[in-house]
Amino acid sequence: TQLLEQSPQFLSIQEGENLTVYCNSSSVFSSLQWYRQEPGEGPVLLVTVVTGGEVKKLKRLTFQFGDARKDSSLHITAAQPGDTGLYLCAGAKGNTGKLIFGQGTTLQVKP
Amino acid sequence: DTAVSQTPKYLVTQMGNDKSIKCEQNLGHDTMYWYKQDSKKFLKIMFSYNNKELIINETVPNRFSPKSPDKAHLNLHINSLELGDSAVYFCASSQEEISGNTIYFGEGSWLTVV
């Protein structure tokens, strides 16, 4: 049973388009993180959200934590080829640092 | 300097062999982890250590034995390798083993069992 459902799993868009990636669960998380992973490398943290309803922005990326802390979204405005990569959401339960990862969203942005 | 470094990066070995992957972090962190990423890119925690003490062991077969000689190192030894062990293994570290901490991943070790 997948605790964190990420959708879509694959996304191929043109440069300049907007997109949203969703991360859903029936469980409550104390914090949720988004990572980006490029081929041949390890995941790199983009953002951590901890408060229900929290919105964080990182340049063209907007992250939102659901009010009930069960879901999250990542919105990219005017995607660029440099945004291409694997995006992973990961939640932590309780006060532990143990992360539960979603299946990932592979994003391809074509020039 | 690489924050979390692991070796080897690529490893091809035969079934039944025993192999080790080494990991070192120079961030001064107290907690280190091993994660496994399968062919579908699904990333799952295997172990975590805090100050050389085992904190998390996620029902990993006992053929996998982590060893932490000091808090800057966490090595992974795998006995009697099986085809299903083929995956990318990521070492990682964080300041503490608490929710919301930033986890720094190494570049991964690509293990192929033939």
Side-chain angles (χ1 to χ4, degrees):
Chain A
T1 303
Q2 182 60 38
L3 204 54
L4 266 175
E5 296 285 343
Q6 215 173 311
S7 62
Q9 288 191 34
F10 300 96
L11 196 52
S12 182
I13 60 173
Q14 291 296 133
E15 181 176 0
E17 291 183 14
N18 302 332
L19 67 116
T20 302
V21 178
Y22 299 94
C23 184
N24 295 306
S25 176
S26 57
S27 298
V28 175
F29 292 99
S30 53
S31 66
L32 196 135
Q33 297 180 324
W34 285 91
Y35 289 81
R36 181 163 165 261
Q37 183 179 9
E38 297 196 37
E41 297 182 9
V44 175
L45 180 68
L46 295 173
V47 79
T48 301
V49 285
V50 297
T51 306
E54 183 176 2
V55 176
K56 281 192 174 178
K57 292 195 174 187
L58 186 66
K59 296 183 181 178
R60 293 175 293 100
L61 278 61
T62 302
F63 305 85
Q64 184 161 7
F65 202 11
D67 290 342
R69 291 186 290 133
K70 293 182 180 180
D71 52 82
S72 181
S73 63
L74 156 61
H75 182 79
I76 302 179
T77 304
Q80 298 177 2
D83 296 328
T84 293
L86 176 68
Y87 289 82
L88 297 159
C89 66
K93 303 188 79 175
N95 201 32
T96 174
K98 172 185 166 182
L99 286 179
I100 298 165
F101 279 84
Q103 312 101 306
T105 296
T106 299
L107 171 65
Q108 180 187 42
V109 182
K110 301 175 194 172
Chain B
D1 282 344
T2 305
V4 181
S5 58
Q6 50 184 112
T7 56
K9 183 158 179 130
Y10 300 101
L11 185 55
V12 180
T13 187
Q14 290 189 326
M15 279 175 54
N17 283 351
D18 303 337
K19 291 293 177 187
S20 292
I21 307 172
K22 295 185 176 181
C23 179
E24 175 182 4
Q25 54 96 2
N26 63 6
L27 298 168
H29 288 166
D30 287 341
T31 305
M32 295 186 72
Y33 310 83
W34 277 107
Y35 279 83
K36 178 181 179 181
Q37 188 170 46
D38 63 22
S39 57
K40 295 184 179 178
K41 306 296 185 186
F42 181 57
L43 199 59
K44 187 173 181 187
I45 191 167
M46 299 172 69
F47 302 101
S48 79
Y49 271 71
N50 191 59
N51 270 318
K52 303 192 298 175
E53 183 181 339
L54 179 66
I55 302 296
I56 295 172
N57 181 342
E58 281 294 299
T59 59
V60 177
N62 57 16
R63 296 183 296 104
F64 291 78
S65 52
K67 284 187 173 56
S68 183
D70 55 64
K71 74 174 192 176
H73 295 84
L74 181 61
N75 304 322
L76 183 65
H77 188 75
I78 315 170
N79 289 328
S80 304
L81 278 155
E82 300 177 357
L83 293 176
D85 297 331
S86 296
V88 185
Y89 292 85
F90 286 98
C91 178
S93 74
S94 64
Q95 185 61 55
E96 300 173 275
E97 206 273 325
I98 61 172
S99 172
N101 248 219
T102 300
I103 295 184
Y104 296 83
F105 286 86
E107 293 189 337
S109 294
W110 269 250
L111 173 65
T112 302
V113 182
V114 297

